[in-house]
Amino acid sequence: MLADFFILLKQELVVTAIIFLLLFIKLGKDRSNETLLGIINLLLFLNFASGFCCSQDGMLFNDMFHTNPLIVLEKNILNLAIWLISLQSYSWLKTHKHVIEFYLLLLSTLLGMFFMISSGNLLMFYLGLEMSTIPLAAAANFDLTKRKSSEAAMKLIISSAFSSALLLFGISLLFGTTGTLVLTELPAHLSANPLQIFAFILVLSGFAFKISAVPFHLWTADVYEGAPVAVTAYLSVVSKAAVLFVFVSVLYNAFKPLADVWYNMLFILSLATIIIGNLFAIRQDNFKRFLAFSSIAQVGFILLGISGSSQTGTASVIYFILIYVFSNLAAFGVISLVSAVKGKENISDYKAFYTTNPLLSWVITIALFSLAGVPPTAGFFGKFFLLTAGAAKGNYWWIGIAALNMVVSFYYYLRVVKAIFMDSNEQPIEKISIPNYSKLALIICVAGIIITGLASCVYDYIYSLSSGL
Amino acid sequence: MTGVPLTHILFVSTALFFIGMYGLFTRRNMITMLMSIELMLNSVNINFVAFNKYLFPDKLDGIFFTIFIITIAAAEAAVAIAIIINLYRSHQSIDVEDATEMKF
């Protein structure tokens, strides 16, 4: 019984242990930032590696917490992403005064996400969700003296509090109409009566806020622009991925009887998200803002994949998120390096970047090609599987418009590539020496972009673990 | 149980929820916006307690949920007020209209 407890809660316990260890290090004698970052990166790697050993199915705490190989895989993806982000932010944190606090905030959100992904009860889900958003707002304000940073944090905390209020009102109505909070018992009591549909809409809008689907996307660009680059990377990859994982399992399992209702809602949300994300991405000059709108557009494609509601649907969403982690973090790796060393974040500053930093230029180009979905990179396969999963329902208008929008997205992704390689600039960003940690992160990202696309065993493995509606 | 029927309580809580939402959208002072959000969360609490008492008296799920919501609302308010204080230091104002460096 006790052994079960330790094995099932393995990943959460490891993260908790790291949090406590960091607290003790903080209380102990002062250490230099280089040593601290070395220790922390090692710990995060161990955390990632420990996710692969001895996992098993099971439930704990009266079905509040459940785990299975798919959930373990999802947590491993999040562990990998936080390790990569930590490696990339080395040059930013090297001179920062509050290194440990930064990691305490990030790891507590990670712990919240783990509980959210594993939740078998709406109460547990809500606790995990709040635990993963409240510290994140504090982390968004991490550049305490910057005006933009505090503005971003204010926008994040107010909009996330509003969205969780919507979600809670939905949950309270669900409790009133069904009498249960257990996710596996919900389907038996759901019958698509108007009050339940209203409750479902509120829950869905709470989710849509967190994954920043249009029309709930308004906070995204501002928060991404104002927050420090590492937090932006974390928001756009880890927190979005975690909510999407839960979203898929909640829609497929708990809201199964409402499948017809949410199919139509996803249709509208997804089209609006893809189109508006693309149109706004075209006119951005700030790199982080640009990636914010690009990530909004990507969420539209993920919603299309979710609508397939089959085993392919789940598998393609998780596969796409894995690729999205690699490609987005490769782009953010370069941006965080440039922003930490030179303080420049605009696309126009990147003109003629290739003449001074050929290696970084290639990395960001590969990342953008993968985000756009150009064949040799993994991004193409990710989007292809999403469209395939969505096409199973036979709604070809949806697929057609999404495919047309992929063409639009080429325009703005390739515009950046053009600025880097072809435009002339009298004062390009000077040569940047890449620290070893960042180099490692960039190599892993580029390798991931290429290998996940070419090695079919990755997709097959995810497919074998996932289940449909 | 005689007295107030469930629908009356639900009417109050729903009204409270939308009053909170209206306050959030119209007020320009950040502290007042935070208070509006607390109003919305409290309407959810009323919902949970009422449903629990009237419809499922043998369960405790709703009551527990309420306790957790109150706790988390306190944590949220603490972080939000810290952020607002920090924003006041850089902007000299807690009016949302003054925090408009990033748009579109």
Side-chain angles (χ1 to χ4, degrees):
Chain A
M1 186 61 211
L2 200 63
D4 266 9
F5 174 80
F6 279 109
I7 291 175
L8 292 180
L9 273 173
K10 169 191 61 174
Q11 283 160 309
E12 287 76 11
L13 288 174
V14 172
V15 175
T16 319
I18 295 177
I19 291 177
F20 274 98
L21 197 63
L22 289 181
L23 275 173
F24 284 122
I25 293 177
K26 176 75 191 167
L27 291 174
K29 67 177 183 343
D30 283 341
R31 286 180 176 77
S32 73
N33 277 0
E34 271 88 4
T35 351
L36 281 180
L37 286 170
I39 297 172
I40 293 169
N41 283 326
L42 182 67
L43 284 175
L44 287 178
F45 175 70
L46 290 178
N47 173 35
F48 168 59
S50 71
F52 288 98
C53 65
C54 52
S55 52
Q56 72 180 57
D57 285 20
M59 303 228 186
L60 279 177
F61 312 128
N62 200 6
D63 293 2
M64 280 263 183
F65 181 95
H66 67 106
T67 185
N68 59 39
L70 186 69
I71 289 176
V72 171
L73 175 75
E74 291 170 349
K75 288 176 183 170
N76 282 337
I77 294 177
L78 299 185
N79 275 335
L80 173 68
I82 195 171
W83 180 51
L84 290 176
I85 290 169
S86 161
L87 288 175
Q88 287 171 355
S89 45
Y90 175 76
S91 42
W92 174 61
L93 286 171
K94 204 171 50 180
T95 52
H96 208 285
K97 270 191 286 186
H98 304 286
V99 177
I100 292 191
E101 287 88 333
F102 179 72
Y103 283 99
L104 286 178
L105 289 174
L106 284 201
L107 287 171
S108 13
T109 62
L110 188 70
L111 190 61
M113 284 164 199
F114 282 0
F115 280 117
M116 177 171 76
I117 293 175
S118 284
S119 61
N121 187 305
L122 284 169
L123 175 57
M124 193 71 194
F125 162 72
Y126 168 68
L127 290 178
L129 189 76
E130 287 298 311
M131 196 169 163
S132 67
T133 49
I134 296 176
L136 210 49
N141 203 348
F142 216 69
D143 281 335
L144 283 174
T145 47
K146 283 196 183 154
R147 285 169 67 92
K148 272 187 180 178
S149 192
S150 43
E151 189 183 327
M154 182 271 292
K155 283 175 177 165
L156 179 57
I157 189 95
I158 298 238
S159 54
S160 75
F162 176 63
S163 73
S164 51
L166 286 181
L167 185 85
L168 275 177
F169 199 70
I171 292 178
S172 77
L173 291 182
L174 273 182
F175 175 67
T177 49
T178 61
T180 177
L181 289 171
V182 184
L183 287 173
T184 45
E185 287 174 13
L186 269 182
H189 300 281
L190 285 176
S191 57
N193 67 38
L195 189 59
Q196 282 174 349
I197 290 178
F198 178 55
F200 173 70
I201 291 173
L202 288 171
V203 173
L204 184 76
S205 25
F207 272 112
F209 254 107
K210 305 286 178 196
I211 61 175
S212 59
V214 173
F216 306 102
H217 69 292
L218 293 163
W219 60 277
T220 318
D222 291 355
V223 173
Y224 282 24
E225 186 185 344
V229 188
V231 180
T232 310
Y234 191 81
L235 268 171
S236 81
V237 175
V238 182
S239 90
K240 199 170 276 189
V243 179
L244 278 166
F245 291 146
V246 190
F247 190 48
V248 175
S249 76
V250 166
L251 279 189
Y252 284 10
N253 300 318
F255 291 110
K256 202 191 244 175
L258 302 181
D260 295 334
V261 181
W262 58 251
Y263 181 78
N264 292 326
M265 291 178 191
L266 284 190
F267 176 59
I268 297 164
L269 275 183
S270 154
L271 280 186
T273 309
I274 296 176
I275 292 171
I276 291 187
N278 272 338
L279 291 183
F280 275 83
I282 290 175
R283 60 190 292 273
Q284 302 304 327
D285 187 44
N286 183 297
F287 220 123
K288 280 148 81 185
R289 232 180 146 75
F290 165 77
L291 282 176
F293 281 108
S294 115
S295 80
I296 292 175
Q298 311 276 359
V299 165
F301 286 99
I302 294 178
L303 291 181
L304 169 56
I306 293 175
S307 77
S309 57
S310 55
Q311 194 177 358
T312 327
T314 320
S316 66
V317 169
I318 293 168
Y319 181 64
F320 185 81
I321 288 174
L322 179 65
I323 295 163
Y324 175 74
V325 165
F326 285 128
S327 11
N328 229 15
L329 286 185
F332 271 115
V334 177
I335 295 169
S336 69
L337 206 58
V338 173
S339 144
V341 180
K342 303 289 171 201
K344 290 182 176 170
E345 287 178 356
N346 286 342
I347 294 174
S348 48
D349 294 330
Y350 279 78
K351 280 181 183 165
F353 191 55
Y354 180 66
T355 54
T356 49
N357 295 290
L359 194 67
L360 290 180
S361 307
W362 277 111
V363 171
I364 203 165
T365 307
I366 292 172
L368 291 175
F369 270 90
S370 176
L371 284 172
V374 179
T377 56
F380 167 74
F381 300 100
K383 284 217 174 116
F384 178 69
F385 287 136
L386 283 180
L387 292 186
T388 321
K393 287 272 183 178
N395 195 340
Y396 295 113
W397 280 103
W398 192 351
I399 311 294
I401 295 173
L404 281 179
N405 269 283
M406 277 178 76
V407 181
V408 177
S409 75
F410 279 180
Y411 167 72
Y412 59 80
Y413 286 121
L414 296 186
R415 193 172 59 101
V416 180
V417 176
K418 172 177 162 289
I420 290 173
F421 281 87
M422 295 174 188
D423 287 0
S424 60
N425 187 353
E426 283 168 7
Q427 289 176 313
I429 297 170
E430 291 150 41
K431 178 139 186 65
I432 296 169
S433 64
I434 314 171
N436 285 334
Y437 288 117
S438 307
K439 213 177 266 174
L440 177 63
L442 292 178
I443 290 169
I444 294 173
C445 288
V446 172
I449 291 174
I450 292 164
I451 291 169
T452 29
L454 297 182
S456 60
C457 55
V458 180
Y459 181 77
D460 289 341
Y461 177 65
I462 297 174
Y463 187 80
S464 69
L465 294 183
S466 35
S467 58
L469 190 67
Chain B
M1 193 155 29
T2 55
V4 191
L6 177 63
T7 44
H8 290 194
I9 297 178
L10 288 188
F11 181 80
V12 169
S13 77
T14 313
L16 202 59
F17 185 81
F18 286 100
I19 290 169
M21 198 189 270
Y22 176 78
L24 179 72
F25 290 154
T26 52
R27 293 294 170 144
R28 288 289 157 261
N29 182 311
M30 285 173 206
I31 304 284
T32 328
M33 287 168 79
L34 211 62
M35 284 160 63
S36 311
I37 290 173
E38 298 289 316
L39 218 56
M40 292 168 77
L41 292 177
N42 280 332
S43 84
V44 176
N45 287 342
I46 296 177
N47 254 356
F48 268 118
V49 173
F51 281 136
N52 205 335
K53 186 161 173 59
Y54 284 81
L55 299 179
F56 316 104
D58 51 332
K59 287 185 178 176
L60 282 173
D61 292 8
I63 309 274
F64 279 128
F65 215 118
T66 311
I67 294 171
F68 279 105
I69 292 174
I70 294 170
T71 321
I72 284 187
E76 200 153 39
V79 173
I81 289 174
I83 288 170
I84 291 172
I85 290 173
N86 194 51
L87 190 112
Y88 179 75
R89 288 204 180 121
S90 55
H91 289 73
Q92 304 302 327
S93 150
I94 51 165
D95 194 323
V96 273
E97 301 279 349
D98 291 332
T100 49
E101 249 168 73
M102 296 173 288
K103 271 185 183 173
F104 313 114

